[in-house]
């Protein structure tokens, strides 16, 4: 492991590896990534791979739209097929969602996103197997979609390494040394790296990393469970999602359905075990929307952690009180889809001193004032 580096990134998920790649692209290659497991050990390797731009806050819509622009060229840029499909996101609307969803579409359209409110019949044209009985409509955006997170993370990591970044797997960060608010070094179980710049991309463990220098992040970890079915013939183009029931599912290139459902009764914890309760709730809710899936066999289920902030928006940028300590966490369940733009912005902040898009609304200090929460969250 290098003894010193211009920047140290903690976390080898999509944020850490994406930031390493973005820094290297900007010419900063004296960078060390520290990951306590393998790449994708955290949420990045456990997520649904969904990529949507239909949000309810301007900051999330802008980050997601810019990220889609970057996803569209990422396979070519990383020399790897990231299995990116733009089959759209169909957001199910129930009767009492309709007025708010129409407003959300107006906000999205005003920012240049081509989302639209559609009738149940139009929704069924997009998903022929959809049971439209319980629904009042949907919103749809064709340029939403999904990609393979493993391919994205490993693609970023490989390119960053080719440009000179050092990635250390199975290296646990145990402390950050700071004197008078200035970072001196990062300690690990494999040795110490001297640096004055640290990116906290430790996902649901970002709060513990921040605590090492006395910074209190408001992030909380929540278990989210997800499953994959046996493959079937192609029947589903978009990701189908409902914020009311918390369900989402899409069909992958190889034919399997991957999907999950949020649980309002889930307490904050680092629990990663699978539950029968999830399987039952997931099966019941999915089969209500797509009865034909009733015969599908589930191959595997697993769990990952959402890193949730009080307004369900990420925490990005420098930290008051600790010089050159950059936050890149708190994605609240949608960090994969915004990673291309977020990691570019973090690299711009570190190298140029200023990101190309304002991130003032996303810094840690926003919690000192009034906050507007993102509503489109799988809770
Ligand atoms: C079930 C589920 C479904 C999801 N679906 C979607 C989706 O469809 N679309 C979407 O955009 N997002 C989704 N998400 C959210 C998404 O997975 C995360 O927001 C995103 O992967 C965060 O990436 P990250 O790199 O910031 O964090 P992570 O991928 O969690 O990476 C953080 C890394 O830091 C490492 N680390 C922690 N502590 C230390 C330490 N002390 N020393 C060294 N390393 C450390 C961890 O091992 C981990 O690998 C989902 C999440 C879950 C759990």
């Amino acid at each position: 492991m290098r003894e010193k580096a211009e920047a140290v990134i903690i976390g080898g998920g999509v944020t850490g590896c994406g930031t390493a790649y973005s820094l290297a692209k900007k010419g900063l290659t004296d960078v060390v990534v520290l990951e306590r497991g393998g790449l994708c050990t955290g949420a990045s390797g456990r997520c649904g791979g969904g990529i949507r731009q239909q949000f309810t806050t301007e900051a999330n819509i802008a980050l997601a739209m810019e990220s889609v622009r970057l996803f569209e060229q990422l396979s070519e840029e990383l020399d790897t097929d990231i299995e990116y499909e733009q089959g759209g996101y169909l957001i199910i609307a129930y009767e009492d969602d309709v007025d708010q969803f129409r407003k959300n579409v107006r906000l999205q359209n005003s920012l240049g996103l081509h989302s639209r409110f559609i009738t149940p019949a139009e929704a069924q044209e997009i998903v022929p197997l959809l049971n439209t009985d319980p629904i009042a409509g949907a919103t749809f955006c064709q340029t939403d979609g999904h990609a393979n997170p493993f391919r994205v993370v490993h693609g970023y990591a490989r390119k960053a390494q080719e440009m000179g970044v050092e990635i250390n797997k199975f290296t646990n960060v145990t402390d950050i040394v700071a004197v008078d608010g200035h970072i001196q070094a990062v300690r690990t179980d494999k040795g110490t790296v001297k640096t004055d710049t640290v990116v906290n991309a430790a996902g649901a463990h970002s709060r513990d990393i921040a605590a090492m220098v006395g910074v209190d992040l408001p992030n909380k970890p929540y278990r989210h469970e997800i499953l994959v079915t046996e493959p079937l013939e192609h029947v589903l183009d978009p990701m189908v999602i409902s914020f009311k029931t918390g369900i989402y599912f899409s069909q992958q290139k190889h034919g399997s359905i991957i999907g999950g459902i949020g649980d309002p009764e889930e307490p904050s914890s680092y629990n990663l075990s699978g539950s029968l309760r999830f399987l039952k709730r997931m099966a019941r809710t999915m089969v209500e929307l797509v009865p034909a899936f009733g015969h599908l066999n589930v191959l595997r289920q697993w769990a990952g952690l959402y890193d949730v902030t009080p307004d369900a928006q990420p925490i990005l940028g420098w930290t008051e009180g600790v010089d050159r300590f950059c936050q890149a966490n708190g994605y609240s369940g949608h960090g994969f889809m915004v990673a291309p733009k977020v990691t570019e912005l973090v690299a711009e902040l570190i190298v140029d001193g200023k990101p190309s898009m304002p991130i003032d609304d996303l810094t840690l200090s926003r919690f000192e004032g009034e906050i507007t929460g993102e509503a489109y969250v799988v809770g």
Side-chain angles (χ1 to χ4, degrees):
M1 191 163 68
R2 285 180 203 166
E3 285 180 3
K4 59 185 177 57
E6 282 194 48
V8 167
I9 298 167
I10 304 174
V14 72
T15 307
C17 294
T19 301
Y21 169 70
S22 296
L23 283 171
K25 234 174 72 168
K26 289 188 72 65
L28 185 67
T29 57
D30 186 14
V31 173
V32 167
V33 178
L34 303 169
E35 164 55 55
R36 70 178 178 188
L39 301 183
C40 284
T41 299
S44 301
R46 298 160 183 268
C47 83
I51 298 166
R52 85 177 133 93
Q53 304 150 94
Q54 298 179 75
F55 280 98
T56 65
T57 67
E58 291 194 16
N60 275 341
I61 296 168
L63 280 178
M65 284 178 70
E66 282 296 309
S67 292
V68 162
R69 199 176 53 75
L70 296 167
F71 270 120
E72 284 169 348
Q73 64 203 34
L74 206 53
S75 288
E76 201 180 324
E77 208 177 311
L78 299 180
D79 289 328
T80 189
D81 176 11
I82 63 162
E83 297 178 357
Y84 183 45
E85 306 263 356
Q86 286 180 298
Y89 252 67
L90 187 84
I91 303 181
I92 301 293
Y94 294 94
E95 201 55 54
D96 54 347
D97 291 324
V98 172
D99 290 347
Q100 188 57 48
F101 278 26
R102 286 188 188 281
K103 271 191 210 150
N104 298 342
V105 165
R106 279 201 291 278
L107 171 70
Q108 292 155 7
N109 292 169
S110 74
L111 297 170
L113 183 68
H114 298 296
S115 56
R116 60 199 164 99
F117 192 91
I118 58 176
T119 63
E122 287 170 314
Q124 206 172 38
E125 274 172 32
I126 295 166
V127 180
L129 295 177
L130 187 70
N131 171 22
T132 54
D133 291 348
I135 78 172
T139 69
F140 184 67
C141 176
Q142 184 66 66
T143 52
D144 290 346
H146 54 87
N148 183 326
F150 291 94
R151 286 170 172 259
V152 172
V153 174
H154 285 277
Y156 277 143
R158 203 188 59 250
K159 279 283 170 190
Q161 283 171 310
E162 282 170 11
M163 289 188 276
V165 170
E166 183 183 272
I167 297 183
N168 296 283
K169 294 181 274 184
F170 305 102
T171 306
N172 188 25
V173 171
T174 53
D175 201 6
I176 302 173
V177 184
V179 176
D180 295 334
H182 297 282
I183 292 172
Q184 313 288 313
V186 178
R187 286 199 181 119
T188 78
D189 58 353
K190 301 261 172 72
T192 298
V193 192
K194 286 188 189 145
T195 189
D196 67 355
T197 303
V198 168
V199 179
N200 182 4
H205 295 273
S206 295
R207 189 172 190 168
D208 306 334
I209 298 294
M212 291 173 181
V213 282
V215 171
D216 186 20
L217 293 185
N219 312 20
K220 285 187 181 170
Y222 283 90
R223 173 177 70 163
H224 275 256
E225 297 184 70
I226 182 165
L227 57 74
V228 59
T229 71
E230 62 186 335
L232 68 158
E233 73 280 10
H234 182 85
V235 292
L236 188 61
D237 288 330
M239 175 81 83
V240 176
I241 186 165
S242 156
F243 296 110
K244 183 141 286 169
T245 59
I247 196 167
Y248 63 92
F249 52 90
S250 66
Q251 187 169 24
Q252 308 303 302
K253 226 174 186 167
H254 56 270
S256 294
I257 305 292
I258 289 187
I261 188 166
D263 188 338
E265 288 177 30
E266 184 71 31
S268 172
S269 80
Y270 289 103
N271 181 8
L272 280 175
S273 58
S275 74
L276 186 59
R277 173 180 159 87
F278 160 71
L279 266 188
K280 285 182 178 167
R281 294 179 67 246
M282 180 71 196
R284 198 183 310 122
T285 313
M286 185 156 76
V287 172
E288 189 194 31
L289 281 174
V290 183
F293 286 173
H295 71 279
L296 275 183
N297 290 307
V298 173
L299 291 186
R300 196 163 67 84
Q301 72 182 96
W302 65 95
L305 297 172
Y306 276 21
D307 176 31
V308 177
T309 61
D311 62 359
Q313 299 192 95
I315 300 179
L316 302 180
W318 298 131
T319 314
E320 242 171 72
V322 185
D323 200 31
R324 298 190 71 77
F325 184 37
C326 183
Q327 305 304 324
N329 49 63
Y331 297 103
S332 309
H334 45 261
F336 175 65
M337 60 185 80
V338 295
K341 189 61 191 177
V342 160
T343 58
E344 195 177 88
L345 292 170
V346 168
E348 287 166 356
L349 183 66
I350 290 171
V351 177
D352 308 330
K354 195 174 169 358
S356 56
M357 235 173 86
I359 56 167
D360 305 341
D361 290 351
L362 297 173
T363 57
L364 177 59
S365 53
R366 73 178 181 272
F367 297 109
E368 289 158 17
E370 213 169 281
I371 49 171
T372 310
E374 169 62 53
Y376 278 180
V377 178
V378 175

